[in-house]
Amino acid sequence: MAAPTARFRHQAGQDWLLTCAPYPAAAAHAWDVEEFGEIPSGPLWRVVEAPLVESLSAIQRIGPARVGPILGNVRLDTAWWLLPPELGDDLDDVRGFTVRPAGWSLRCPPVLHSVHGRWWIERPDGSGRLTDPVLLAAAFGPGGYRHSAEALG
């Protein structure tokens, strides 16, 4: 059983995710019937799609405390990273990335559990924290970004 603070944080993340939906009740209903909620990117965050295995390595390179929400799907070998909404063309040339435009709908499960093979690798925590695109690009680049604790050995 999760600690009370973890449950609270996960619920806060789910509440935050619902505030991102144009129709929160529709997303909550979809989750109640074990379907995906449709939440468009745009005003609060953008989405970058990347290979799942490389994403798991990138999380370790960046450091879990420095990444924002990341949705994963084992069946599709795909991860969706939530990044700041002002994302420009910074990541357009990173091999393996697909930068989704504002308005693109992220089909996601609730924060509290998986649905149809999709789960939150890094759950939203309610703070609105997102992954820095510079760190993400560096983590996927040659040699990859390494947070200071890892760089020092």
Side-chain angles (χ1 to χ4, degrees):
M1 182 174 229
T5 56
R7 278 196 307 265
F8 174 76
R9 189 172 56 251
H10 300 329
Q11 185 62 54
Q14 185 151 302
D15 293 345
W16 173 81
L17 195 56
L18 284 171
T19 68
C20 300
Y23 305 104
H29 174 72
W31 294 340
D32 287 344
V33 296
E34 298 294 315
E35 293 298 331
F36 299 125
E38 301 267 342
I39 303 180
S41 64
L44 298 175
W45 40 265
R46 293 278 303 278
V47 176
V48 169
E49 190 173 295
L52 180 61
V53 172
E54 289 88 342
S55 291
L56 296 173
S57 295
I59 292 166
Q60 294 308 309
R61 287 186 184 120
I62 296 169
R66 298 183 75 183
V67 297
I70 306 163
L71 182 62
N73 186 316
V74 175
R75 294 176 190 153
L76 298 176
D77 184 33
T78 302
W80 295 272
W81 294 71
L82 276 57
L83 304 177
E86 62 275 359
L87 179 69
D89 58 1
D90 307 339
L91 301 176
D92 288 351
D93 295 330
V94 178
R95 198 173 110 218
F97 281 7
T98 301
V99 179
R100 297 298 181 181
W104 182 82
S105 284
L106 181 64
R107 299 182 68 229
C108 60
V111 172
L112 304 173
H113 65 274
S114 66
V115 172
H116 305 300
R118 288 190 190 190
W119 85 104
W120 289 97
I121 300 167
E122 292 292 332
R123 293 175 169 146
D125 63 8
S127 71
R129 180 182 54 161
L130 303 167
T131 301
D132 180 333
V134 173
L135 294 180
L136 181 61
F140 272 82
Y145 168 84
R146 302 217 186 278
H147 66 91
S148 59
E150 190 174 309
L152 297 174

